[in-house]
Amino acid sequence: MGDRSDIDYYGQRINTAGDLSNGAINDPNWNGRADAGFSLDSTKIVYWQALVTSSSCGGVNPLQCPVSTAQGGSNYRIMLAKRTGRKPTKPADIFKIPDTIPWATPFPPGAVVPVENTLAPGNYTLYGKAHGFANVTLTSASVAVRYSNFSDDYRHIINGYENATSYVKPPNYYSVHVDWFSDILQSGAVFGTKKTSPDGFHAEIDALVNIFSANGSLTTTIDGVEYLQPLNYS
């Protein structure tokens, strides 16, 4: 944690202790979650983890679901890392936040929510910074693109087409269906393709339960290595 690319520092692991066994500090089935917190004297870090659960394991997945070793069989656990090489520091002063922020949009009581700027449905042309172009068609529910020798750097060149249409499935407005057609060819520094099956790739996912299912295939190939869509119900 703690990446700072401006000084070429890309963080360090705080859970390296352990033997990778079930329930160990570095058990790979326990996944670090967002927003760790530092103690005021900077000597400790508290973070939380979630255990992999179905549908990300078990069933059609090659990874079997592990049995939780946490108290009460919980799928969550709180971790405390002690920075043994650090001496306590003086807590930083709490700074005051001004009522007016120069880069923010004022929103006093009774103000109307501003209209979000979006591209209107229609036909557009995007020109590559190096050469070529892409013809784009937008509707309220779909985007279609046809690339013609499109490149931003002379080294990566894209040809082909791709279009996708999405819609929700009432009464469950968290369930989204996508119809996807793709036949993309990349040449130059990298050779790649992105292709759907002849009758397209048709996927559904419920955002609340995060279960994926699809008909058809979507295959990306980069320099001879194939990448496939997730398994159904995984």
Side-chain angles (χ1 to χ4, degrees):
M1 61 181 299
D3 289 0
R4 294 191 294 276
S5 59
D6 58 322
I7 59 173
D8 202 30
Y9 173 77
Y10 295 99
Q12 56 185 294
R13 287 185 59 183
I14 57 175
N15 67 331
T16 54
D19 57 5
L20 299 176
S21 62
N22 189 23
I25 291 175
N26 60 351
D27 179 353
N29 287 324
W30 285 94
N31 300 288
R33 311 302 287 179
D35 301 327
F38 285 77
S39 62
L40 293 178
D41 65 0
S42 74
T43 62
K44 302 180 184 69
I45 304 172
V46 63
Y47 62 101
W48 67 289
Q49 295 178 314
L51 185 66
V52 61
T53 58
S54 179
S55 62
S56 297
C57 60
V60 298
N61 292 283
L63 173 67
Q64 296 303 306
C65 290
V67 177
S68 174
T69 59
Q71 185 176 10
S74 174
N75 292 327
Y76 303 95
R77 66 181 186 180
I78 302 295
M79 308 294 286
L80 179 65
K82 298 180 179 179
R83 307 173 76 192
T84 57
R86 292 274 185 168
K87 293 182 179 180
T89 59
K90 179 183 177 181
D93 294 332
I94 298 176
F95 59 90
K96 294 182 179 180
I97 300 176
D99 291 333
T100 302
I101 303 174
W103 49 262
T105 300
F107 200 76
V112 178
V113 177
V115 177
E116 183 179 358
N117 291 325
T118 59
L119 283 175
N123 298 315
Y124 298 87
T125 299
L126 176 66
Y127 293 95
K129 294 179 181 178
H131 56 70
F133 58 91
N135 289 326
V136 183
T137 299
L138 295 179
T139 73
S140 60
S142 67
V143 56
V145 184
R146 182 171 291 275
Y147 298 93
S148 297
N149 291 319
F150 184 91
S151 178
D152 278 340
D153 60 4
Y154 296 99
R155 300 179 63 247
H156 303 84
I157 304 165
I158 299 177
N159 283 281
Y161 71 88
E162 187 165 46
N163 67 70
T165 302
S166 66
Y167 57 88
V168 296
K169 301 186 68 177
N172 182 1
Y173 289 91
Y174 292 97
S175 179
V176 179
H177 180 96
V178 178
D179 295 316
W180 191 336
F181 298 85
S182 181
D183 189 1
I184 297 290
L185 173 66
Q186 179 176 346
S187 58
V190 175
F191 181 81
T193 61
K194 182 164 66 168
K195 294 178 178 289
T196 55
S197 48
D199 57 348
F201 178 66
H202 310 280
E204 290 186 7
I205 189 166
D206 188 320
L208 291 181
V209 295
N210 200 27
I211 294 178
F212 169 89
S213 64
N215 291 314
S217 63
L218 173 62
T219 304
T220 300
T221 304
I222 303 294
D223 284 338
V225 180
E226 282 192 345
Y227 301 88
L228 308 178
Q229 78 263 18
L231 293 172
N232 279 351
Y233 309 108
S234 65

